[in-house]
Amino acid sequence: MKKNIIYFFKLIFPFLTVLFLWNLSVNFWNPAGILAIIPIFYCSFVKPVPFFPIYSLLFCFLIDYKFDTLVFWTCLYCVFYSANGFQPYIDLRQIENNAFVFFMLFFGLAMIILFLANISLSSLFTACWLFVWVSLLYLPITTLIKKVCNDR
């Protein structure tokens, strides 16, 4: 019985992490639950979890709803998911540091697009702050997911 509970917890931990980070929305530290992008990226591309892309789409849409960006994060996720699926050269599962560089590329591109959509000094500082903050938290959050799920 105990093994079944632990196995079930390992299976649902990535899903719970996204839900927790999205719910933990604070204006300065986690606006619109944007930290949920970290496990969404990691569990969709680096360590694929079954049925996670559908869950990721839902939460990208919910981040869009809270962020008031229409379907920006949802479209960006779909574009990156399709680009990753169609190219055979880069395997994100084999890249060191949990594909940190590719996450920075994904998130940095998003921040640049959001800044260019509303060019102002305030949006520049917000984009820079979010990029630095989310990038700093990427490795600890992905390492936690890896440790809990006993991967690699």
Side-chain angles (χ1 to χ4, degrees):
M1 180 67 169
K2 184 179 176 183
K3 283 186 178 182
N4 290 340
I5 293 172
I6 292 172
Y7 178 72
F8 179 72
F9 182 70
K10 286 180 183 183
L11 284 177
I12 67 166
F13 186 74
F15 296 93
L16 292 177
T17 305
V18 171
L19 182 64
F20 175 74
L21 289 173
W22 179 76
N23 247 345
L24 192 67
S25 182
V26 180
N27 277 344
F28 185 71
W29 299 106
N30 188 14
I34 195 65
L35 289 178
I37 284 291
I38 295 170
I40 286 172
F41 180 87
Y42 180 72
C43 295
S44 292
F45 305 117
V46 182
K47 181 208 159 274
V49 173
F51 303 107
F52 205 80
I54 298 166
Y55 189 75
S56 296
L57 275 175
L58 171 68
F59 272 90
C60 283
F61 181 75
L62 291 174
I63 290 170
D64 281 328
Y65 177 73
K66 274 187 164 182
F67 227 107
D68 199 26
T69 53
L70 210 50
V71 290
F72 173 74
W73 291 103
T74 308
C75 289
L76 189 67
Y77 174 80
C78 289
V79 165
F80 201 83
Y81 190 83
S82 63
N84 185 48
F86 285 124
Q87 60 83 25
Y89 304 109
I90 301 171
D91 186 12
L92 294 179
R93 294 173 283 179
Q94 303 300 324
I95 297 178
E96 61 212 24
N97 292 330
N98 302 331
F100 178 62
V101 173
F102 284 93
F103 175 75
M104 287 178 45
L105 176 73
F106 170 77
F107 198 73
L109 178 67
M111 290 296 102
I112 289 170
I113 293 170
L114 286 176
F115 167 68
L116 292 176
N118 181 23
I119 297 177
S120 69
L121 194 58
S122 172
S123 66
L124 174 67
F125 287 137
T126 302
C128 290
W129 162 248
L130 283 178
F131 179 75
V132 169
W133 180 241
V134 173
S135 296
L136 280 174
L137 291 178
Y138 179 77
L139 285 175
I141 291 172
T142 56
T143 304
L144 177 67
I145 293 171
K146 191 188 289 188
K147 294 284 184 194
V148 169
C149 297
N150 286 337
D151 286 342
R152 302 175 206 157

